[in-house]
Amino acid sequence: MVKRLYPLLAGGGILLAVVTVVTAQVGGDASLNPVSMTISQYAARDEGGAIETAMAVLGLASLALLAGMRALGAPVDGWPARLIGLWSVSLIGAAVVPSGTAWQGDVHGVLSAVAFVSVPAAAIQLVGRLGQDERWKAAARPLEWLALASGLGLAVITYVALPGHGVMIGLVERLLLTAEVAVLGVLAVRLAQLAWGPWLRERAAGRRAGFLVHR
């Protein structure tokens, strides 16, 4: 039962975080521009606290995803587990330390940068491992494309933040975050399939057998 709980916590948390962030920005202050403002800048000026809450929820959901993958014997030990854990802790830390004062902004910026780098690095590590595991092989190909998209996103946001003088940095950051959350989503979906699939098939087979007996 515990193994089947992990994908619910992971998938539900990821979905809740995404919906919360999108809702907060769509229904937020019209003077805030998500194209030119980073998520941290947007959250600092949006007094609702929804984005910080979503970051914390996403971090906790990612920890549930990692625990679930370990419980089902996914080849995640070593650097992939460390990197996913680092992503999770960095997100939770960034949610706790908002970018308000100067020192808070510095800490928040470092935590956000660590988080953004961690998921693509973990995805790159996992592609080969999942491809060699029959149970997780189905997630390897989409993960490979998302790892590539995340890597390109990191390169673009680095350029935009430095020589690009922050032009459309908010848009680039949100696209990068979308790719990284999609990485987690692919893993969460496969985790759910492995955790719930056998149980659902067993229940379906039992119902069919009962139906045939009572005919």
Side-chain angles (χ1 to χ4, degrees), residues 10-103:
I14 292 169
L15 181 60
L16 177 60
V18 170
V19 171
T20 301
V21 170
V22 172
T23 302
Q25 295 183 73
V26 170
D29 190 337
S31 66
L32 303 181
N33 187 356
V35 174
S36 59
M37 299 175 67
T38 66
I39 296 174
S40 298
Q41 292 169 339
Y42 194 101
R45 294 181 59 182
D46 183 25
E47 299 178 355
I51 293 178
E52 289 89 345
T53 301
M55 291 170 64
V57 169
L58 184 57
L60 293 172
S62 300
L63 289 176
L65 173 63
L66 178 58
M69 292 181 71
R70 280 179 159 171
L72 288 180
V76 73
D77 289 337
W79 276 110
R82 294 189 191 104
L83 289 165
I84 294 174
L86 187 60
W87 151 270
S88 305
V89 172
S90 297
L91 278 182
I92 295 170
V96 173
V97 183
S99 54
T101 64
W103 73 267

Side-chain angles (χ1 to χ4, degrees), residues 15 17 35 38-39 63 74-75 90 112 127 133 143 148 170 175 184 191:
L15 181 60
V35 174
T38 66
I39 296 174
L63 289 176
S90 297
S112 298
V127 167
D133 189 307
L143 195 66
L148 177 61
L175 291 174
L184 303 175
L191 178 64

Side-chain angles (χ1 to χ4, degrees), residues 8-213:
L8 296 180
L9 293 173
I14 292 169
L15 181 60
L16 177 60
V18 170
V19 171
T20 301
V21 170
V22 172
T23 302
Q25 295 183 73
V26 170
D29 190 337
S31 66
L32 303 181
N33 187 356
V35 174
S36 59
M37 299 175 67
T38 66
I39 296 174
S40 298
Q41 292 169 339
Y42 194 101
R45 294 181 59 182
D46 183 25
E47 299 178 355
I51 293 178
E52 289 89 345
T53 301
M55 291 170 64
V57 169
L58 184 57
L60 293 172
S62 300
L63 289 176
L65 173 63
L66 178 58
M69 292 181 71
R70 280 179 159 171
L72 288 180
V76 73
D77 289 337
W79 276 110
R82 294 189 191 104
L83 289 165
I84 294 174
L86 187 60
W87 151 270
S88 305
V89 172
S90 297
L91 278 182
I92 295 170
V96 173
V97 183
S99 54
T101 64
W103 73 267
Q104 287 177 328
D106 291 340
V107 173
H108 188 94
V110 170
L111 291 171
S112 298
V114 170
F116 277 127
V117 172
S118 297
V119 169
I124 291 170
Q125 293 266 331
L126 283 171
V127 167
R129 296 189 184 194
L130 298 186
Q132 296 174 2
D133 189 307
E134 284 301 320
R135 296 181 308 154
W136 290 87
K137 192 173 184 179
R141 181 52 62 88
L143 195 66
E144 183 177 7
W145 285 104
L146 290 170
L148 177 61
S150 299
L152 290 173
L154 278 177
V156 173
I157 199 170
T158 301
Y159 173 82
V160 169
L162 297 175
H165 305 292
V167 176
M168 294 195 300
I169 191 170
L171 176 61
V172 173
E173 185 188 59
R174 283 162 177 79
L175 291 174
L176 171 59
L177 183 60
T178 299
E180 296 190 349
V181 172
V183 167
L184 303 175
V186 166
L187 296 174
V189 168
R190 188 56 185 159
L191 178 64
Q193 290 172 338
L194 293 174
W196 285 89
W199 183 80
L200 291 174
R201 287 192 292 271
E202 182 180 337
R203 296 275 293 185
R207 288 175 180 173
R208 284 197 299 269
F211 174 75
L212 291 174
V213 168

